[in-house]
Short mmCIF file of all heavy atoms in Angstrom, two decimals:
data_model
loop_
_atom_site.label_atom_id
_atom_site.label_comp_id
_atom_site.label_asym_id
_atom_site.label_seq_id
_atom_site.Cartn_x
_atom_site.Cartn_y
_atom_site.Cartn_z
N LEU B 128 5.24 15.42 -7.36
CA LEU B 128 5.72 14.45 -6.37
C LEU B 128 5.21 14.80 -4.98
O LEU B 128 4.74 13.93 -4.23
CB LEU B 128 7.25 14.39 -6.39
CG LEU B 128 7.90 13.47 -5.34
CD1 LEU B 128 7.51 12.02 -5.57
CD2 LEU B 128 9.42 13.63 -5.36
N LEU B 129 5.28 16.08 -4.63
CA LEU B 129 4.80 16.49 -3.31
C LEU B 129 3.29 16.35 -3.18
O LEU B 129 2.78 15.98 -2.12
CB LEU B 129 5.24 17.93 -3.02
CG LEU B 129 6.72 18.13 -2.72
CD1 LEU B 129 7.01 19.60 -2.42
CD2 LEU B 129 7.17 17.27 -1.54
N PHE B 130 2.57 16.62 -4.27
CA PHE B 130 1.12 16.40 -4.23
C PHE B 130 0.80 14.92 -4.00
O PHE B 130 -0.13 14.57 -3.28
CB PHE B 130 0.47 16.89 -5.53
CG PHE B 130 0.08 18.34 -5.52
CD1 PHE B 130 0.48 19.19 -6.53
CD2 PHE B 130 -0.71 18.84 -4.49
CE1 PHE B 130 0.12 20.53 -6.52
CE2 PHE B 130 -1.09 20.19 -4.47
CZ PHE B 130 -0.67 21.03 -5.49
N GLN B 131 1.60 14.06 -4.61
CA GLN B 131 1.36 12.64 -4.42
C GLN B 131 1.66 12.21 -2.98
O GLN B 131 0.93 11.43 -2.38
CB GLN B 131 2.18 11.80 -5.39
CG GLN B 131 1.81 10.32 -5.33
CD GLN B 131 2.42 9.52 -6.44
OE1 GLN B 131 3.45 9.89 -7.00
NE2 GLN B 131 1.81 8.40 -6.77
N VAL B 132 2.76 12.72 -2.42
CA VAL B 132 3.07 12.44 -1.02
C VAL B 132 1.94 12.91 -0.12
O VAL B 132 1.54 12.21 0.83
CB VAL B 132 4.41 13.10 -0.63
CG1 VAL B 132 4.63 13.03 0.88
CG2 VAL B 132 5.57 12.44 -1.36
N MET B 133 1.42 14.09 -0.41
CA MET B 133 0.29 14.61 0.36
C MET B 133 -0.91 13.67 0.30
O MET B 133 -1.54 13.34 1.32
CB MET B 133 -0.09 15.98 -0.18
CG MET B 133 -1.44 16.50 0.31
SD MET B 133 -2.06 17.79 -0.79
CE MET B 133 -3.77 17.86 -0.33
N GLY B 134 -1.27 13.24 -0.92
CA GLY B 134 -2.43 12.37 -1.08
C GLY B 134 -2.27 11.03 -0.39
O GLY B 134 -3.20 10.53 0.26
N VAL B 135 -1.10 10.43 -0.50
CA VAL B 135 -0.86 9.14 0.13
C VAL B 135 -0.89 9.27 1.65
O VAL B 135 -1.51 8.46 2.35
CB VAL B 135 0.47 8.53 -0.36
CG1 VAL B 135 0.77 7.23 0.38
CG2 VAL B 135 0.43 8.27 -1.86
N ASN B 136 -0.22 10.28 2.19
CA ASN B 136 -0.24 10.49 3.64
C ASN B 136 -1.66 10.73 4.14
O ASN B 136 -2.05 10.24 5.21
CB ASN B 136 0.65 11.67 4.01
CG ASN B 136 2.13 11.32 3.99
OD1 ASN B 136 2.50 10.15 4.04
ND2 ASN B 136 2.97 12.33 3.91
N GLY B 137 -2.44 11.50 3.39
CA GLY B 137 -3.82 11.74 3.79
C GLY B 137 -4.65 10.47 3.80
O GLY B 137 -5.47 10.26 4.70
N ALA B 138 -4.43 9.60 2.81
CA ALA B 138 -5.17 8.34 2.77
C ALA B 138 -4.85 7.47 3.98
O ALA B 138 -5.73 6.77 4.50
CB ALA B 138 -4.83 7.59 1.47
N PHE B 139 -3.62 7.51 4.44
CA PHE B 139 -3.24 6.70 5.60
C PHE B 139 -3.75 7.28 6.91
O PHE B 139 -4.01 6.54 7.86
CB PHE B 139 -1.72 6.55 5.67
CG PHE B 139 -1.14 5.70 4.57
CD1 PHE B 139 0.07 6.03 3.98
CD2 PHE B 139 -1.81 4.57 4.13
CE1 PHE B 139 0.60 5.25 2.97
CE2 PHE B 139 -1.28 3.78 3.12
CZ PHE B 139 -0.07 4.13 2.53
N LEU B 140 -3.91 8.59 6.97
CA LEU B 140 -4.28 9.23 8.24
C LEU B 140 -5.78 9.43 8.42
O LEU B 140 -6.26 9.53 9.55
CB LEU B 140 -3.59 10.60 8.36
CG LEU B 140 -2.09 10.57 8.67
CD1 LEU B 140 -1.49 11.97 8.51
CD2 LEU B 140 -1.82 10.04 10.07
N THR B 141 -6.54 9.49 7.34
CA THR B 141 -7.94 9.86 7.47
C THR B 141 -8.74 8.80 8.23
O THR B 141 -8.48 7.60 8.14
CB THR B 141 -8.57 10.09 6.08
OG1 THR B 141 -9.89 10.59 6.26
CG2 THR B 141 -8.63 8.80 5.28
N GLY B 142 -9.73 9.29 8.98
CA GLY B 142 -10.65 8.41 9.68
C GLY B 142 -12.04 8.46 9.09
O GLY B 142 -13.00 8.02 9.73
N ASP B 143 -12.16 8.97 7.87
CA ASP B 143 -13.45 9.16 7.21
C ASP B 143 -13.40 8.52 5.83
O ASP B 143 -12.45 8.77 5.06
CB ASP B 143 -13.75 10.65 7.10
CG ASP B 143 -15.12 10.93 6.52
OD1 ASP B 143 -15.25 10.92 5.28
OD2 ASP B 143 -16.06 11.14 7.30
N ALA B 144 -14.39 7.71 5.49
CA ALA B 144 -14.37 6.98 4.22
C ALA B 144 -14.46 7.92 3.02
O ALA B 144 -13.82 7.68 1.99
CB ALA B 144 -15.51 5.97 4.18
N PHE B 145 -15.25 9.00 3.13
CA PHE B 145 -15.34 9.92 1.99
C PHE B 145 -14.02 10.65 1.79
O PHE B 145 -13.60 10.87 0.64
CB PHE B 145 -16.47 10.93 2.19
CG PHE B 145 -16.63 11.84 1.00
CD1 PHE B 145 -17.28 11.40 -0.14
CD2 PHE B 145 -16.13 13.13 1.01
CE1 PHE B 145 -17.43 12.22 -1.25
CE2 PHE B 145 -16.27 13.96 -0.08
CZ PHE B 145 -16.92 13.50 -1.22
N ASN B 146 -13.36 11.03 2.86
CA ASN B 146 -12.07 11.69 2.71
C ASN B 146 -10.99 10.73 2.23
O ASN B 146 -10.00 11.15 1.63
CB ASN B 146 -11.67 12.36 4.02
CG ASN B 146 -12.41 13.66 4.24
OD1 ASN B 146 -12.08 14.69 3.67
ND2 ASN B 146 -13.45 13.59 5.05
N LEU B 147 -11.18 9.43 2.49
CA LEU B 147 -10.30 8.45 1.86
C LEU B 147 -10.45 8.53 0.35
O LEU B 147 -9.45 8.50 -0.39
CB LEU B 147 -10.65 7.05 2.37
CG LEU B 147 -9.84 5.90 1.78
CD1 LEU B 147 -8.37 6.03 2.13
CD2 LEU B 147 -10.38 4.55 2.28
N PHE B 148 -11.68 8.66 -0.14
CA PHE B 148 -11.91 8.85 -1.58
C PHE B 148 -11.24 10.13 -2.07
O PHE B 148 -10.61 10.14 -3.13
CB PHE B 148 -13.41 8.89 -1.85
CG PHE B 148 -13.77 9.39 -3.21
CD1 PHE B 148 -13.66 8.57 -4.33
CD2 PHE B 148 -14.20 10.70 -3.40
CE1 PHE B 148 -13.98 9.04 -5.59
CE2 PHE B 148 -14.53 11.18 -4.65
CZ PHE B 148 -14.41 10.34 -5.76
N VAL B 149 -11.37 11.21 -1.31
CA VAL B 149 -10.77 12.49 -1.73
C VAL B 149 -9.26 12.37 -1.85
O VAL B 149 -8.66 12.80 -2.85
CB VAL B 149 -11.15 13.60 -0.73
CG1 VAL B 149 -10.37 14.89 -1.04
CG2 VAL B 149 -12.64 13.88 -0.77
N PHE B 150 -8.63 11.76 -0.86
CA PHE B 150 -7.17 11.62 -0.92
C PHE B 150 -6.76 10.63 -2.00
O PHE B 150 -5.68 10.79 -2.59
CB PHE B 150 -6.63 11.19 0.45
CG PHE B 150 -6.58 12.32 1.44
CD1 PHE B 150 -7.31 12.26 2.62
CD2 PHE B 150 -5.81 13.44 1.21
CE1 PHE B 150 -7.26 13.30 3.55
CE2 PHE B 150 -5.76 14.49 2.12
CZ PHE B 150 -6.49 14.41 3.29
N PHE B 151 -7.57 9.63 -2.27
CA PHE B 151 -7.31 8.75 -3.41
C PHE B 151 -7.24 9.58 -4.69
O PHE B 151 -6.35 9.38 -5.52
CB PHE B 151 -8.43 7.71 -3.53
CG PHE B 151 -8.12 6.40 -2.87
CD1 PHE B 151 -7.44 6.35 -1.67
CD2 PHE B 151 -8.52 5.21 -3.44
CE1 PHE B 151 -7.17 5.15 -1.05
CE2 PHE B 151 -8.25 3.99 -2.84
CZ PHE B 151 -7.57 3.96 -1.64
N GLU B 152 -8.18 10.48 -4.86
CA GLU B 152 -8.21 11.29 -6.07
C GLU B 152 -7.01 12.23 -6.14
O GLU B 152 -6.45 12.45 -7.22
CB GLU B 152 -9.52 12.08 -6.15
CG GLU B 152 -10.75 11.20 -6.32
CD GLU B 152 -10.59 10.21 -7.45
OE1 GLU B 152 -10.44 10.64 -8.61
OE2 GLU B 152 -10.59 8.99 -7.18
N VAL B 153 -6.61 12.79 -5.02
CA VAL B 153 -5.44 13.68 -5.01
C VAL B 153 -4.20 12.92 -5.46
O VAL B 153 -3.43 13.38 -6.33
CB VAL B 153 -5.23 14.29 -3.61
CG1 VAL B 153 -3.89 15.03 -3.54
CG2 VAL B 153 -6.37 15.24 -3.26
N LEU B 154 -3.97 11.76 -4.88
CA LEU B 154 -2.76 11.01 -5.24
C LEU B 154 -2.85 10.49 -6.67
O LEU B 154 -1.82 10.40 -7.37
CB LEU B 154 -2.51 9.88 -4.24
CG LEU B 154 -3.45 8.68 -4.18
CD1 LEU B 154 -2.98 7.56 -5.11
CD2 LEU B 154 -3.53 8.13 -2.75
N LEU B 155 -4.04 10.16 -7.13
CA LEU B 155 -4.18 9.66 -8.50
C LEU B 155 -3.97 10.78 -9.52
O LEU B 155 -3.32 10.57 -10.55
CB LEU B 155 -5.56 9.02 -8.69
CG LEU B 155 -5.74 7.66 -8.03
CD1 LEU B 155 -7.18 7.20 -8.14
CD2 LEU B 155 -4.82 6.62 -8.65
N ILE B 156 -4.51 11.97 -9.25
CA ILE B 156 -4.31 13.09 -10.17
C ILE B 156 -2.82 13.41 -10.30
O ILE B 156 -2.30 13.64 -11.40
CB ILE B 156 -5.11 14.32 -9.71
CG1 ILE B 156 -6.61 14.07 -9.90
CG2 ILE B 156 -4.68 15.57 -10.49
CD1 ILE B 156 -7.49 15.13 -9.26
N ALA B 157 -2.13 13.42 -9.17
CA ALA B 157 -0.68 13.66 -9.21
C ALA B 157 0.03 12.55 -9.97
O ALA B 157 0.97 12.80 -10.75
CB ALA B 157 -0.13 13.77 -7.79
N SER B 158 -0.41 11.32 -9.77
CA SER B 158 0.24 10.19 -10.45
C SER B 158 0.00 10.23 -11.95
O SER B 158 0.84 9.76 -12.73
CB SER B 158 -0.24 8.86 -9.87
OG SER B 158 -1.59 8.59 -10.24
N TYR B 159 -1.15 10.79 -12.41
CA TYR B 159 -1.38 10.92 -13.84
C TYR B 159 -0.30 11.80 -14.48
O TYR B 159 0.24 11.47 -15.54
CB TYR B 159 -2.76 11.54 -14.11
CG TYR B 159 -3.94 10.77 -13.58
CD1 TYR B 159 -5.15 11.40 -13.29
CD2 TYR B 159 -3.86 9.40 -13.34
CE1 TYR B 159 -6.24 10.70 -12.80
CE2 TYR B 159 -4.94 8.69 -12.84
CZ TYR B 159 -6.13 9.36 -12.56
OH TYR B 159 -7.21 8.67 -12.07
N GLY B 160 -0.03 12.94 -13.83
CA GLY B 160 1.01 13.82 -14.36
C GLY B 160 2.39 13.20 -14.31
O GLY B 160 3.18 13.35 -15.25
N LEU B 161 2.70 12.51 -13.22
CA LEU B 161 4.01 11.87 -13.11
C LEU B 161 4.15 10.73 -14.11
O LEU B 161 5.25 10.49 -14.64
CB LEU B 161 4.20 11.33 -11.68
CG LEU B 161 4.38 12.38 -10.59
CD1 LEU B 161 4.35 11.73 -9.21
CD2 LEU B 161 5.70 13.14 -10.77
N MET B 162 3.07 10.02 -14.38
CA MET B 162 3.11 8.87 -15.28
C MET B 162 3.58 9.28 -16.66
O MET B 162 4.36 8.57 -17.32
CB MET B 162 1.72 8.23 -15.33
CG MET B 162 1.54 7.18 -16.40
SD MET B 162 2.55 5.74 -16.11
CE MET B 162 2.68 5.11 -17.79
N ILE B 163 3.13 10.42 -17.17
CA ILE B 163 3.49 10.84 -18.53
C ILE B 163 4.64 11.83 -18.52
O ILE B 163 4.92 12.47 -19.55
CB ILE B 163 2.27 11.45 -19.25
CG1 ILE B 163 1.75 12.68 -18.50
CG2 ILE B 163 1.16 10.41 -19.39
CD1 ILE B 163 0.64 13.42 -19.23
N HIS B 164 5.33 11.98 -17.40
CA HIS B 164 6.47 12.91 -17.32
C HIS B 164 7.53 12.49 -18.33
O HIS B 164 7.96 11.34 -18.37
CB HIS B 164 7.05 12.88 -15.91
CG HIS B 164 8.22 13.80 -15.73
ND1 HIS B 164 8.08 15.16 -15.54
CD2 HIS B 164 9.55 13.56 -15.70
CE1 HIS B 164 9.26 15.71 -15.41
NE2 HIS B 164 10.17 14.77 -15.51
N GLY B 165 7.98 13.42 -19.13
CA GLY B 165 8.99 13.13 -20.14
C GLY B 165 8.41 12.83 -21.50
O GLY B 165 9.13 12.80 -22.50
N GLY B 166 7.10 12.59 -21.59
CA GLY B 166 6.46 12.40 -22.88
C GLY B 166 6.79 11.07 -23.53
O GLY B 166 7.33 10.15 -22.92
N GLY B 167 6.46 10.97 -24.80
CA GLY B 167 6.66 9.73 -25.54
C GLY B 167 5.33 9.07 -25.83
O GLY B 167 4.44 9.02 -24.97
N GLY B 168 5.17 8.53 -27.05
CA GLY B 168 3.91 7.96 -27.46
C GLY B 168 3.49 6.76 -26.64
O GLY B 168 2.33 6.64 -26.24
N VAL B 169 4.42 5.85 -26.40
CA VAL B 169 4.09 4.64 -25.65
C VAL B 169 3.72 4.99 -24.22
O VAL B 169 2.75 4.44 -23.66
CB VAL B 169 5.29 3.65 -25.69
CG1 VAL B 169 4.98 2.42 -24.86
CG2 VAL B 169 5.62 3.27 -27.12
N ARG B 170 4.47 5.89 -23.63
CA ARG B 170 4.17 6.31 -22.26
C ARG B 170 2.80 6.99 -22.19
O ARG B 170 2.05 6.79 -21.23
CB ARG B 170 5.27 7.24 -21.75
CG ARG B 170 5.07 7.70 -20.32
CD ARG B 170 6.28 8.48 -19.84
NE ARG B 170 7.44 7.63 -19.73
CZ ARG B 170 8.70 8.04 -19.93
NH1 ARG B 170 8.93 9.29 -20.29
NH2 ARG B 170 9.70 7.20 -19.79
N MET B 171 2.49 7.78 -23.20
CA MET B 171 1.19 8.46 -23.21
C MET B 171 0.06 7.45 -23.31
O MET B 171 -0.97 7.56 -22.62
CB MET B 171 1.13 9.44 -24.37
CG MET B 171 -0.13 10.29 -24.39
SD MET B 171 -0.21 11.43 -22.98
CE MET B 171 1.11 12.57 -23.41
N ARG B 172 0.21 6.43 -24.16
CA ARG B 172 -0.83 5.41 -24.28
C ARG B 172 -1.01 4.64 -22.97
O ARG B 172 -2.14 4.36 -22.55
CB ARG B 172 -0.49 4.44 -25.42
CG ARG B 172 -0.70 5.02 -26.80
CD ARG B 172 -0.71 3.95 -27.86
NE ARG B 172 0.58 3.27 -27.98
CZ ARG B 172 1.59 3.69 -28.73
NH1 ARG B 172 1.45 4.80 -29.43
NH2 ARG B 172 2.71 3.03 -28.78
N ALA B 173 0.10 4.31 -22.33
CA ALA B 173 0.01 3.62 -21.04
C ALA B 173 -0.64 4.51 -20.00
O ALA B 173 -1.42 4.05 -19.16
CB ALA B 173 1.41 3.20 -20.57
N GLY B 174 -0.34 5.82 -20.07
CA GLY B 174 -0.94 6.75 -19.13
C GLY B 174 -2.44 6.87 -19.32
O GLY B 174 -3.19 6.95 -18.35
N ILE B 175 -2.90 6.86 -20.58
CA ILE B 175 -4.34 6.95 -20.84
C ILE B 175 -5.04 5.70 -20.29
O ILE B 175 -6.12 5.79 -19.70
CB ILE B 175 -4.59 7.12 -22.35
CG1 ILE B 175 -4.10 8.50 -22.80
CG2 ILE B 175 -6.06 6.94 -22.68
CD1 ILE B 175 -4.15 8.71 -24.30
N GLN B 176 -4.44 4.54 -20.50
CA GLN B 176 -5.03 3.32 -19.96
C GLN B 176 -5.11 3.38 -18.43
O GLN B 176 -6.12 3.01 -17.82
CB GLN B 176 -4.21 2.11 -20.38
CG GLN B 176 -4.65 0.81 -19.74
CD GLN B 176 -3.68 -0.34 -20.04
OE1 GLN B 176 -3.09 -0.39 -21.11
NE2 GLN B 176 -3.53 -1.25 -19.09
N TYR B 177 -4.04 3.88 -17.82
CA TYR B 177 -3.98 4.00 -16.36
C TYR B 177 -5.07 4.96 -15.86
O TYR B 177 -5.78 4.66 -14.88
CB TYR B 177 -2.59 4.49 -15.97
CG TYR B 177 -2.40 4.85 -14.53
CD1 TYR B 177 -2.42 3.87 -13.54
CD2 TYR B 177 -2.16 6.17 -14.14
CE1 TYR B 177 -2.23 4.19 -12.20
CE2 TYR B 177 -1.96 6.49 -12.81
CZ TYR B 177 -2.00 5.51 -11.86
OH TYR B 177 -1.81 5.84 -10.53
N VAL B 178 -5.22 6.09 -16.53
CA VAL B 178 -6.23 7.07 -16.13
C VAL B 178 -7.63 6.48 -16.27
O VAL B 178 -8.47 6.57 -15.36
CB VAL B 178 -6.09 8.35 -16.97
CG1 VAL B 178 -7.29 9.26 -16.74
CG2 VAL B 178 -4.81 9.09 -16.63
N ALA B 179 -7.91 5.84 -17.41
CA ALA B 179 -9.25 5.31 -17.66
C ALA B 179 -9.62 4.25 -16.63
O ALA B 179 -10.74 4.25 -16.10
CB ALA B 179 -9.31 4.73 -19.07
N PHE B 180 -8.69 3.37 -16.33
CA PHE B 180 -9.01 2.30 -15.39
C PHE B 180 -9.23 2.85 -13.99
O PHE B 180 -10.14 2.41 -13.27
CB PHE B 180 -7.87 1.28 -15.39
CG PHE B 180 -8.28 -0.06 -14.88
CD1 PHE B 180 -9.08 -0.90 -15.65
CD2 PHE B 180 -7.88 -0.50 -13.63
CE1 PHE B 180 -9.47 -2.13 -15.18
CE2 PHE B 180 -8.26 -1.74 -13.16
CZ PHE B 180 -9.06 -2.56 -13.94
N ASN B 181 -8.43 3.80 -13.59
CA ASN B 181 -8.59 4.34 -12.25
C ASN B 181 -9.81 5.23 -12.13
O ASN B 181 -10.40 5.33 -11.04
CB ASN B 181 -7.33 5.11 -11.84
CG ASN B 181 -6.24 4.20 -11.32
OD1 ASN B 181 -6.25 3.78 -10.16
ND2 ASN B 181 -5.29 3.85 -12.18
N LEU B 182 -10.21 5.89 -13.22
CA LEU B 182 -11.47 6.64 -13.19
C LEU B 182 -12.66 5.70 -12.99
O LEU B 182 -13.61 6.03 -12.26
CB LEU B 182 -11.63 7.44 -14.48
CG LEU B 182 -10.78 8.70 -14.61
CD1 LEU B 182 -11.01 9.35 -15.96
CD2 LEU B 182 -11.10 9.70 -13.49
N ALA B 183 -12.60 4.54 -13.61
CA ALA B 183 -13.65 3.55 -13.39
C ALA B 183 -13.67 3.11 -11.93
O ALA B 183 -14.74 2.97 -11.31
CB ALA B 183 -13.44 2.35 -14.31
N GLY B 184 -12.48 2.90 -11.35
CA GLY B 184 -12.41 2.55 -9.94
C GLY B 184 -12.95 3.64 -9.05
O GLY B 184 -13.64 3.36 -8.05
N SER B 185 -12.67 4.90 -9.39
CA SER B 185 -13.18 6.01 -8.59
C SER B 185 -14.71 6.08 -8.65
O SER B 185 -15.37 6.40 -7.65
CB SER B 185 -12.58 7.33 -9.09
OG SER B 185 -11.17 7.33 -8.94
N THR B 186 -15.27 5.78 -9.81
CA THR B 186 -16.73 5.77 -9.94
C THR B 186 -17.35 4.69 -9.05
O THR B 186 -18.35 4.93 -8.36
CB THR B 186 -17.13 5.53 -11.41
OG1 THR B 186 -16.52 6.53 -12.23
CG2 THR B 186 -18.64 5.59 -11.58
N LEU B 187 -16.76 3.51 -9.07
CA LEU B 187 -17.22 2.45 -8.18
C LEU B 187 -17.10 2.85 -6.72
O LEU B 187 -17.95 2.50 -5.89
CB LEU B 187 -16.43 1.16 -8.44
CG LEU B 187 -16.78 0.36 -9.69
CD1 LEU B 187 -15.88 -0.86 -9.79
CD2 LEU B 187 -18.24 -0.06 -9.67
N PHE B 188 -16.04 3.57 -6.40
CA PHE B 188 -15.83 4.03 -5.03
C PHE B 188 -17.00 4.91 -4.59
O PHE B 188 -17.55 4.76 -3.48
CB PHE B 188 -14.51 4.79 -4.95
CG PHE B 188 -13.91 4.85 -3.56
CD1 PHE B 188 -12.58 5.23 -3.38
CD2 PHE B 188 -14.65 4.53 -2.42
CE1 PHE B 188 -12.02 5.28 -2.12
CE2 PHE B 188 -14.09 4.59 -1.15
CZ PHE B 188 -12.78 4.96 -0.99
N LEU B 189 -17.41 5.84 -5.45
CA LEU B 189 -18.54 6.71 -5.12
C LEU B 189 -19.83 5.91 -4.96
O LEU B 189 -20.63 6.18 -4.05
CB LEU B 189 -18.71 7.77 -6.20
CG LEU B 189 -17.78 8.98 -6.14
CD1 LEU B 189 -18.05 9.92 -7.30
CD2 LEU B 189 -17.93 9.73 -4.81
#
Side-chain angles (χ1 to χ4, degrees):
L128 176 63
L129 287 181
F130 272 128
Q131 187 170 25
V132 170
M133 166 200 163
V135 175
N136 283 341
F139 291 142
L140 286 170
T141 186
D143 184 277
F145 183 78
N146 282 281
L147 179 62
F148 167 79
V149 171
F150 283 119
F151 265 38
E152 294 310 297
V153 171
L154 69 91
L155 286 173
I156 290 171
S158 71
Y159 300 156
L161 290 172
M162 170 66 205
I163 61 174
H164 180 79
V169 177
R170 182 173 293 149
M171 186 66 70
R172 286 195 295 273
I175 291 173
Q176 173 188 327
Y177 172 68
V178 169
F180 201 73
N181 278 280
L182 284 178
S185 298
T186 303
L187 283 179
F188 203 165
L189 280 178

